Amino acid sequence: MGLKDKKEVRKNRSFAESFKHAFDGLVILCKTERNFRFHLIASLIVVIISFILKIDLSQWVWILLAIFIVLIAEVVNTLCESIVNLIVGNKYDEIAKKAKDVAAAGVVIASIFAAIIGLLVYVPIIFGL
């Protein structure tokens, strides 16, 4: 199957090739998605705070789980938006809007989960509870 730029679409030949494409996807996310960059910076700040507060292993598990759930939700949101844009182009479509809004809601839900985890981990440490 040929594309406009004459590149062939085919299955990856090796794990290394698959990994390269996945890494390319991360680069694209960082370059083009403002919200993904925001979540990465927020994640870095959370990790630094966690080191400063010397959280224990079980707390690290929860913090890292929260971080990665938010990042994965942002990836899924971007994926959904890209597919919808590919299908509908520049025209408005109510179902396309619904799909994009629901995907964005997934990021909000993941972010609320992360905030709750942050409160459960950090408040007792900060206030000595």
Side-chain angles (χ1 to χ4, degrees):
M1 173 179 198
L3 299 175
K4 284 188 225 173
D5 59 6
K6 304 295 183 204
K7 290 187 179 181
E8 291 284 326
V9 177
R10 60 171 173 73
K11 189 164 179 67
N12 294 325
R13 294 179 206 185
S14 67
F15 177 78
E17 188 175 6
S18 297
F19 186 80
K20 184 206 175 300
H21 291 304
F23 186 77
D24 291 345
L26 283 173
V27 170
I28 290 167
L29 280 166
C30 291
K31 284 184 177 179
T32 65
E33 297 301 319
R34 179 191 69 234
N35 291 341
F36 189 79
R37 288 190 305 270
F38 171 81
H39 289 300
L40 277 180
I41 291 167
S43 298
L44 179 62
I45 292 167
V46 166
V47 167
I48 291 168
I49 289 169
S50 297
F51 274 114
I52 291 169
L53 295 176
K54 296 179 171 73
I55 65 173
D56 66 33
L57 181 60
S58 65
Q59 293 167 322
W60 270 111
V61 169
W62 283 104
I63 292 297
L64 292 175
L65 177 67
I67 286 171
F68 282 99
I69 285 175
V70 171
L71 293 176
I72 291 166
E74 193 62 56
V75 169
V76 171
N77 180 48
T78 300
L79 172 65
C80 178
E81 288 178 349
S82 297
I83 291 171
V84 167
N85 291 343
L86 181 65
I87 293 169
V88 300
N90 290 329
K91 65 182 177 197
Y92 179 82
D93 184 277
E94 194 61 37
I95 296 171
K97 179 187 181 328
K98 178 181 177 182
K100 287 182 168 188
D101 289 351
V102 169
V107 178
V108 171
I109 291 167
S111 298
I112 291 168
F113 171 76
I116 291 168
I117 295 300
L119 289 171
L120 290 172
V121 169
Y122 298 131
V123 166
I125 295 170
I126 293 169
F127 294 106
L129 302 175

